[in-house]
């Protein structure tokens, strides 16, 4: 017989078939021990219970409950009435039914006990029939919890791995009926006989072992596990055993990545430094998988980072429109690709332009140059500078949100010689320029506070440290 937990100490002072003023050692069997204290109630209201033949004195058979069914809470005590075999059993005041002596000689001889229920204003009785069975042949499951797993959306009828053979023990008396008594939400599973010639009813399969199979569609995104109770009952409706069954639903790669949006529109300055992040696409996967991004065509100008979806500028862009098409797939093997790619539309603007200039002589040591084709653009230069490359007025369009972060770089001024220094001619409320030519947000941009033209205008002084020239 399997090992039992340490005995508990209880006391009762009841008379009339109860224990009178002595210490009772009560051994509580674990749920995996042969001979559990399961109860079967027949059509006449008799409670039938199985007791192992080698139960020791003080063995806890079952804790009785009130037989009343009126859903009213009663204060109840229990006592046993005298019968032929009642001296070998006892009931505590709280209803715990136990053995008091050796019961092995009662194998094959059902014992009928009558228990009195004592209420404040009346009494009632319940009949208990005990069957002493060979503990080696009693129904029992090998483990407290049986575990299995199955992929979501597995076809109906597929066995659950790890639960292909559920049995309440070898050497038990056949037939045995197995049934799922709780936890089977949506009738997700059913029991099937292992032997092809065994029959199965809606209540269970009368045979030595069964397997658990899929009975409905399983969706892990809705429920990722089930906790069932499988019950085995012998043909005499005397012996019974329960087992907890845990079924884990495994993720099936059935959800492809989906982009947040299919079209991204980006504007990039031509003088943006190489390896800058100019855009980023993002997709999500309902299975929770990592996502890999990849451009459909290689490009010498833009590169898509596989793990992040960032798009880097890796080459020198031309003043034109580009389109980068990005596909996404999960990181499983084999990968599952999204059906719709993302289209990234990139417009390259700005950059260094060269114009011919007309020179007007002014009093003093300065010349005024007017750019052909741009009559509103004038460049003031020192008289001793006879010819030089003229920097045009740079016009860049931005969204208000791009100027929300103070200190952020919005674009870079081109440093032709690598030795040029940049400085704002006058203070500006919205932007600042550092010596390296980085134009930064000085104060958070507010569309409503800008003038009627909604522009930010400023002049920059460029000092060439090689020639000592100064350009405005």
């Amino acid at each position: 017989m399997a090992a039992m937990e340490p005995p508990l100490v209880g006391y009762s002072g009841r008379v009339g078939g109860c224990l009178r003023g002595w210490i009772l050692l009560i051994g509580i069997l674990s749920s995996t021990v042969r001979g559990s204290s399961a109860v079967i109630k027949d059509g006449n209201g008799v409670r039938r219970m199985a007791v192992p033949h080698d139960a020791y004195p003080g063995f806890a058979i079952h804790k009785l409950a009130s037989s009343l069914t009126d859903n009213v809470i009663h204060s109840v005590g229990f006592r046993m009435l005298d019968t032929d075999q009642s001296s070998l059993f006892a009931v505590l005041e709280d209803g715990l039914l136990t053995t008091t002596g050796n019961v092995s000689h009662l194998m094959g001889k059902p014992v009928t006990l009558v228990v009195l229920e004592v209420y404040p204003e009346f009494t009632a009785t319940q009949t208990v029939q005990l069957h002493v069975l060979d503990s080696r042949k009693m129904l029992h499951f090998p483990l407290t919890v049986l575990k299995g797993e199955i992929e979501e959306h597995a076809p109906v009828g597929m066995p659950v791995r790890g639960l292909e053979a559920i049995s309440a023990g070898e050497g038990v008396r056949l037939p045995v009926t197995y049934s799922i008594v709780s936890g089977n939400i949506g009738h997700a599973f059913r029991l099937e006989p292992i032997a092809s010639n065994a029959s199965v009813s809606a209540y269970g399969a009368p045979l030595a072992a069964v397997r658990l199979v899929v009975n409905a569609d399983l969706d892990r995104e809705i429920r990722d596990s089930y906790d069932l109770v499988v019950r085995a009952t012998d043909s005499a409706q005397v012996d019974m055993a329960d087992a907890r069954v845990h079924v884990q639903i495994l993720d099936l790669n059935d959800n492809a990545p989906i982009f947040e949006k299919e079209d991204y529109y980006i504007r990039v300055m031509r003088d943006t430094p190489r390896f800058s992040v100019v855009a980023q696409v993002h997709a999500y996967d309902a299975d929770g998988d990592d996502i890999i991004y990849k451009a459909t065509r290689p490009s010498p100008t833009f590169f898509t980072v596989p793990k992040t979806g960032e798009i880097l500028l890796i080459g020198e862009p031309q003043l034109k429109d580009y389109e980068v098409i990005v596909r996404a797939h999960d990181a499983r093997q084999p990968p599952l690709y999204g059906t719709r790619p993302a289209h990234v539309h990139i417009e390259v603007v700005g950059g260094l332009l060269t114009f011919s200039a007309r020179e007007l002589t002014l009093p003093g040591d300065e010349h005024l140059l007017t750019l052909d084709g741009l009559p509103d653009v004038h460049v003031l230069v020192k008289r001793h500078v006879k010819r030089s490359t003229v920097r045009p007025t740079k016009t860049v369009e931005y969204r208000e949100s791009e100027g929300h972060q103070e200190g952020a770089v919005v674009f870079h001024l081109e440093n032709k010689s690598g030795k040029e220094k940049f400085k704002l001619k006058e203070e500006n409320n919205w932007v600042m320029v550092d010596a390296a030519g980085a134009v930064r947000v000085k104060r958070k941009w507010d569309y409503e506070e800008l003038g009627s033209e909604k522009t930010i205008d400023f002049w920059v002084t460029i000092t060439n440290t090689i020639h000592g020239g100064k350009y405005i």
Side-chain angles (χ1 to χ4, degrees):
M1 182 174 177
M4 292 175 289
E5 296 181 3
L8 302 178
V9 178
Y11 175 81
S12 173
R14 283 279 184 179
V15 297
C18 289
L19 301 180
R20 182 181 300 173
W22 57 286
I23 302 299
L24 175 68
L25 298 179
I26 304 171
I28 307 298
L29 288 175
S30 70
S31 59
T32 59
V33 174
R34 299 176 187 266
S36 62
S37 55
V39 177
I40 300 174
K41 191 174 182 180
D42 66 14
N44 297 320
V46 177
R47 289 173 165 83
R48 291 202 293 265
M49 307 176 194
V51 181
H53 78 285
D54 51 1
Y56 51 82
F59 173 79
I61 300 172
H62 184 74
K63 189 171 183 179
L64 302 176
S66 171
S67 61
L68 300 182
T69 57
D70 55 6
N71 296 323
V72 177
I73 298 177
H74 296 278
S75 174
V76 58
F78 296 88
R79 68 175 63 175
M80 188 179 298
L81 301 181
D82 289 334
T83 60
D84 292 342
Q85 304 293 341
S86 61
S87 62
L88 294 175
F89 304 93
V91 63
L92 299 185
E93 187 174 354
D94 63 356
L96 184 62
L97 180 63
T98 69
T99 61
T100 61
N102 187 346
V103 296
S104 60
H105 62 284
L106 298 177
M107 287 181 59
K109 303 174 183 179
V111 177
T112 301
L113 304 176
V114 180
V115 177
L116 184 68
E117 302 173 14
V118 182
Y119 298 93
E121 299 179 356
F122 61 93
T123 61
T125 60
Q126 58 175 288
T127 302
V128 177
Q129 190 177 76
L130 300 180
H131 296 259
V132 179
L133 306 177
D134 187 338
S135 63
R136 294 164 296 183
K137 297 182 179 180
M138 292 181 67
L139 294 173
H140 69 283
F141 289 95
L143 298 173
T144 303
V145 180
L146 307 178
K147 297 182 179 181
E149 61 182 21
I150 190 73
E151 288 78 11
E152 62 176 332
H153 307 305
V156 171
M158 175 172 286
V160 178
R161 283 193 302 276
L163 300 171
E164 299 93 341
I166 300 174
S167 175
E170 297 180 0
V172 300
R173 295 174 301 168
L174 294 178
V176 177
T177 297
Y178 295 85
S179 58
I180 303 174
V181 296
S182 68
N184 197 15
I185 300 172
H187 303 286
F189 303 95
R190 69 173 186 265
L191 295 172
E192 279 189 352
I194 294 178
S196 59
N197 59 351
S199 60
V200 179
S201 70
Y203 303 99
L207 67 161
V210 293
R211 63 184 179 185
L212 189 70
V213 301
V214 177
N215 190 57
D217 183 54
L218 306 173
D219 191 338
R220 184 179 180 273
E221 279 67 48
I222 297 177
R223 180 175 295 276
D224 61 4
S225 65
Y226 292 79
D227 288 292
L228 315 175
V229 173
V230 172
R231 176 167 295 168
T233 309
D234 69 358
S235 59
Q237 293 288 296
V238 171
D239 195 11
M240 182 176 70
D242 289 347
R244 286 180 53 208
V245 177
H246 178 80
V247 181
Q248 188 69 38
I249 308 303
L250 303 180
D251 184 30
L252 180 68
N253 195 14
D254 58 342
N255 290 287
I258 300 175
F259 281 101
E260 289 180 341
K261 52 185 180 181
E262 295 182 16
D263 291 281
Y264 295 76
Y265 294 91
I266 308 297
R267 179 171 289 173
V268 177
M269 297 301 300
R270 185 182 180 186
D271 56 358
T272 299
R274 290 181 63 193
F275 307 112
S276 296
V277 177
V278 298
Q280 185 174 16
V281 297
H282 185 264
Y284 66 92
D285 189 303
D287 293 325
D289 298 327
D290 292 334
I291 298 176
I292 306 299
Y293 302 90
K294 184 178 181 180
T296 58
R297 296 190 303 269
S299 168
T301 311
F302 299 99
F303 174 75
T304 303
V305 181
K307 289 189 176 182
T308 65
E310 295 175 321
I311 297 178
L312 305 182
L313 177 66
I314 61 172
E316 183 177 349
Q318 303 299 313
L319 292 175
K320 66 176 186 178
D321 294 339
Y322 293 83
E323 182 182 39
V324 179
I325 302 176
V326 181
R327 295 195 66 188
H329 65 82
D330 57 30
R332 297 202 195 185
Q333 292 297 329
L336 188 61
Y337 283 83
T339 58
R340 295 179 177 271
H343 296 259
V344 184
H345 309 272
I346 302 174
E347 178 187 4
V348 179
V349 298
L352 179 64
L353 302 178
T354 302
F355 297 89
S356 59
R358 292 180 289 108
E359 180 177 335
L360 300 177
T361 301
L362 298 178
D365 59 352
E366 296 178 332
H367 287 182
L368 181 66
L369 300 182
T370 300
L371 303 182
D372 291 342
L374 297 175
D376 294 330
V377 179
H378 306 283
V379 181
L380 194 63
V381 298
K382 293 290 184 178
R383 178 180 295 276
H384 64 268
V385 179
K386 300 301 181 180
R387 295 181 179 274
S388 72
T389 303
V390 178
R391 308 288 175 90
T393 299
K394 184 184 292 290
T395 302
V396 184
E397 293 184 7
Y398 288 96
R399 297 182 180 89
E400 180 186 26
S401 60
E402 296 180 72
H404 280 185
Q405 183 178 351
E406 295 182 0
V409 176
V410 290
F411 67 90
H412 284 80
L413 299 171
E414 183 184 14
N415 191 329
K416 292 184 60 179
S417 66
K419 301 292 185 179
E420 295 173 336
K421 303 295 182 181
F422 301 84
K423 181 181 179 182
L424 277 175
K425 184 178 181 183
E426 297 178 355
E427 287 294 319
N428 187 281
N429 290 332
W430 303 105
V431 296
M432 53 187 176
V433 179
D434 61 25
V439 180
R440 302 176 181 271
V441 177
K442 181 178 181 181
R443 182 164 65 93
K444 182 179 177 181
W445 296 352
D446 190 329
Y447 186 82
E448 302 300 329
E449 293 186 20
L450 296 176
S452 58
E453 297 183 357
K454 305 301 181 185
T455 61
I456 301 175
D457 301 316
F458 57 94
W459 291 84
V460 177
T461 299
I462 306 172
T463 303
N464 191 322
T465 57
I466 296 178
H467 303 292
K470 189 174 184 181
Y471 304 89
I472 298 178

